[in-house]
Amino acid sequence: MKGRKLFLLPAALALGALTLGATQLGAQSQRNCVRFASVEATGSKNSLDPAHHTSTHDGAGIHLTHNRLVNRDENWRVSPELASSWKSNKSGTIWTFQLRRGVKFHDGHELTAADVVYTFRRLLNPKTGSAAKSSLAFLTPSGIRPSGRYAVQFRTKSPVAELPLLITIKQTWIVANGADDETIKTKGAGTGPFRVVDFKPLKTRQLFVRNADYWQKGLPKAKCIEVSVVQEATSKLAAIQTNQVDVIQAVDLNTIAALKKNQGVRLLVSVPSTLVGLTVRIDTPPFDDNRVRLAMKKVIDRQKMVDVLLLGFGAVGDDNPIPPTSPAAWRHKVPGQDIEGAKKLLAAAGYSESKPLEVSAHCSDFIPGLVNLCQLYQQMAAQAGIKVDLVTGPASEFFDTVWLKKPFVVTGWGARPPGEALAVAYRADAEWNETHWKRPDYEALLDKANATLNPSKRVAGFRSAAKLLALEGGIIVPMFTKTVAGVRSNCSGYKPSNEFALPELRFVSCKR
Amino acid sequence: MIVKLVVSRIALAVVTLVTVSALIFAFAEILPGDIAARVLGRETTEEQRQLFRERLNLDRPFYERYGTWLKGSLQGDLGRSFVNGQPTRVLVEERAKNTFSLAAYAFVLYVPATLLLATVAALFHNRVPDSVISILTLASLSLPEFVLGTALMFVFAVTLPLFPALSFTDPSMSFGERLQAMTLPAVTLAVVMAGYAVRMLRDSLIGVLDSDYVRMAMLKGVPRRRVVLRHALPNALGPALNVTALNLTYLIGGVVIVEQVFEYEGLGKLLVDAISNRDTPVVEAIVLLAAAVYILANLIADVFALLLNPRLRTG
């Protein structure tokens, strides 16, 4: 008898789960939350503190609960956000931002200059430990001051022509004056369109509900948003196919084909975003010879790389951090593969069939597909007689054991505005100068552009700098990836961003 | 006899756990790379990393940090996560509840399924049902969990929408909703565990059914069902019990992949995150918990073996 009861138990359980389940599946989708599946590249950190914005999962939560002074679009044009207008003095050393009136923080207090000053001073304080401290190096704590109750001034030593753009980085979301680290981390001390509900450490799903006092009329569109992390490509695919999530922030390349066939899901593609490529140190032989570097660039069939590695969901690169599709690019058309040209350069540099150029590339899949990129590069380089030896290692160790330590490595950089992109790794004093590119003439071009208030003259300066880097630098950029988002067809208002870490969810809504 | 066994095993367990904890600490130390760089990510400056190390006392020698950690742990304080500063205990407790309930569900499916399949296979020894079960168990043994889990997901969630594809659970869900969300991962685990156990039990059951006392019982007219359930099965359980003990430990330590596939918020996912972030206190807590379960499961299996077989109890 005992035995028979035991046999029946699992059947009863499974049956119970099924019957209850059939009704519950319906109930879940009536909750009317937009369900957003994010990704997590570096392991879940779970913090709403903008100062420590490091991972994409956190990025969604921070973006939902905060606002910045100004916003920026995919072509790096700035638009009003918490600041309704701004202007600089003639030389570009004093920038004044007028704050929007009547904006309420989630705790009910009104936004004033004190909150903005607190936010920026907090980022510059070494004790906060924010990566923004180096990005905002042009600011000093004493140079950020209130100008009346509803205006803030940024005073800089030298002119900063793009200040509104440069203070619109992923850490500069405005937090409430005096808020302590713990509050900012778990409660979210912002003015954003959504409020966090019961933020728990390391929870892989977080619920955000509409902020009824939000200052933008008619926004956000959704009543609530559920942000989850789904790591496995096939699980993501199953989740959107079964209507368990509404938006996938990034569809993996190996599941794009399956989703293309699905009538219920639309695929949306961003403008070129993440730079992927290879870097060589220009002061380390054999890379100290520009003929070698140029040859290493000429061997690449860029379009083929985009087609093979990204299934076309990308754009060719031009050996500098500005995509050729950008209005600020120094040229929009990149020359194709030139094996003969590469061979001539190599011969001039003293290499031949009996004495070929032999180099070791360190590769790792910290962005999926980088190892494949290395392998394809190896084959293309072989056509010109370059022998590339591949050394592959685990992604988790790349940035602390390989990057900045080996002379020839793969690299990847998120999208940045031209001025920042050209400076972040290519100035003599840059912390992440992976190519050891230290050129006073290049920096002079950047400095001059950064101090030029006239936008078209400024972009001209960036173009000259980009040209110099493309033709002489140590960064090889065969392509840029594009973010492919999956959105269920009953949802609208989502647009994949080229700034991957910052999904825009104010305009998203789903009909049920 | 049983009391003596339990006491000596528990004493040994404490020694084992302390040794394991020292080993994990040492491994975390000799792995290449820097914890600060791991936790803070790529875009950080040396200044920030130094600040991080000072805050967590990572600049102090390794034996000193281990001493501090051990002293705290013995008093019940498992330290705080390097990554988000939360008490390790809170993090692990919550996830452990989820993993244990998933494991319990899987186990509830596993035990009767194993008994049923093994008994059927043994009774129909070398006939069609036996062959079918044999093929199924071989398949479950050779399929990796993620293939099986993904296959179940695509059959029972995508093609036939019976269960959700991802096992999202939250406190607001009813018991039925939770059970439904957990069914696919639980079935995956149960199938993986059952493969080996069914084969073991079938073999020993065939041996027992062939023995003299079973034949005797049959001859004197004991009903067939009673012979199998009362006389044969308990005597055949021994080897399967050991497999079950191993399976139990697999459940706690090895659910990592299944949890990852179904995005189930359990210890496995936490462990993966903690290892990739080099979050030593969290790794310590989870591995020690798994080790404790391992020791306990083996102890329980030995006690059961003693209870089932009076011959082992002498001495």
Side-chain angles (χ1 to χ4, degrees), chain A residues 202 204 235 244 396-397 412, chain B residues 38-39 42 95 166 261 265:
Chain A
L202 287 184
T204 47
S235 311
Q244 211 177 357
S396 57
E397 270 160 29
Chain B
R38 278 301 167 79
V39 174
R42 171 186 182 184
R95 296 299 188 93
L166 304 184
V261 168
E265 242 178 15

Side-chain angles (χ1 to χ4, degrees), chain B residues 29-303:
Chain B
E29 206 56 34
I30 56 174
L31 279 172
D34 168 36
I35 299 177
R38 278 301 167 79
V39 174
L40 297 176
R42 171 186 182 184
E43 290 172 23
T44 46
T45 60
E46 183 49 39
E47 187 188 1
Q48 284 168 260
R49 289 194 285 267
Q50 192 50 38
L51 205 78
F52 179 86
R53 283 184 212 115
E54 278 163 24
R55 207 171 57 214
L56 294 170
N57 297 324
L58 291 174
D59 46 352
R60 297 226 307 273
F62 135 79
Y63 50 86
E64 203 181 315
R65 280 184 284 127
Y66 179 64
T68 318
W69 177 85
L70 190 65
K71 207 174 134 202
S73 308
L74 293 175
Q75 292 160 352
D77 173 15
L78 289 167
R80 280 169 179 271
S81 156
F82 286 168
V83 177
N84 51 33
Q86 299 292 332
T88 305
R89 208 177 150 161
V90 176
L91 292 176
V92 173
E93 245 172 31
E94 197 159 319
R95 296 299 188 93
K97 268 187 224 153
N98 288 342
T99 290
F100 283 127
S101 40
L102 178 63
Y105 189 10
F107 200 67
V108 166
L109 298 174
Y110 154 81
V111 170
T114 304
L115 289 176
L116 183 70
L117 288 174
T119 312
V120 170
L123 291 178
F124 294 89
H125 179 200
N126 281 347
R127 277 182 280 161
V128 175
D130 185 27
S131 312
V132 171
I133 290 170
S134 178
I135 290 168
L136 287 179
T137 53
L138 273 179
S140 93
L141 279 176
S142 39
L143 274 183
E145 295 96 324
F146 66 89
V147 176
L148 185 65
T150 312
L152 287 175
M153 186 192 283
F154 276 86
V155 175
F156 295 106
V158 178
T159 316
L160 305 166
L162 297 175
F163 299 100
L166 304 184
S167 301
F168 286 155
T169 54
D170 63 61
S172 69
M173 286 170 110
S174 69
F175 182 70
E177 277 179 287
R178 271 175 172 271
L179 211 55
Q180 193 208 13
M182 284 159 55
T183 298
L184 287 182
V187 169
T188 310
L189 288 169
V191 171
V192 171
M193 289 192 298
Y196 194 42
V198 167
R199 295 183 77 80
M200 286 295 274
L201 187 56
R202 168 195 172 270
D203 288 354
S204 64
L205 201 54
I206 288 172
V208 172
L209 284 174
D210 207 30
S211 66
D212 293 342
Y213 68 90
V214 169
R215 210 165 296 154
M216 180 64 205
M218 297 275 204
L219 286 174
K220 76 175 186 189
V222 179
R224 194 175 156 85
R225 180 193 290 159
R226 197 175 151 78
V227 173
V228 174
L229 293 182
R230 284 293 307 223
H231 297 277
L233 204 53
N235 284 306
L237 275 179
L241 262 179
N242 283 327
V243 176
T244 302
L246 285 177
N247 271 336
L248 258 184
T249 58
Y250 156 83
L251 265 181
I252 303 303
V255 293
V256 178
I257 293 164
V258 175
E259 287 183 358
Q260 194 80 16
V261 168
F262 291 97
E263 294 297 330
Y264 184 74
E265 242 178 15
L267 284 179
K269 258 183 84 67
L270 185 63
L271 184 61
V272 171
D273 279 345
I275 291 175
S276 72
N277 281 329
R278 271 313 159 66
D279 199 345
T280 317
V282 177
V283 176
E284 281 275 3
I286 299 175
V287 176
L288 285 182
L289 188 64
V293 171
Y294 186 90
I295 293 167
L296 197 68
N298 278 300
L299 181 59
I300 292 172
D302 285 352
V303 170

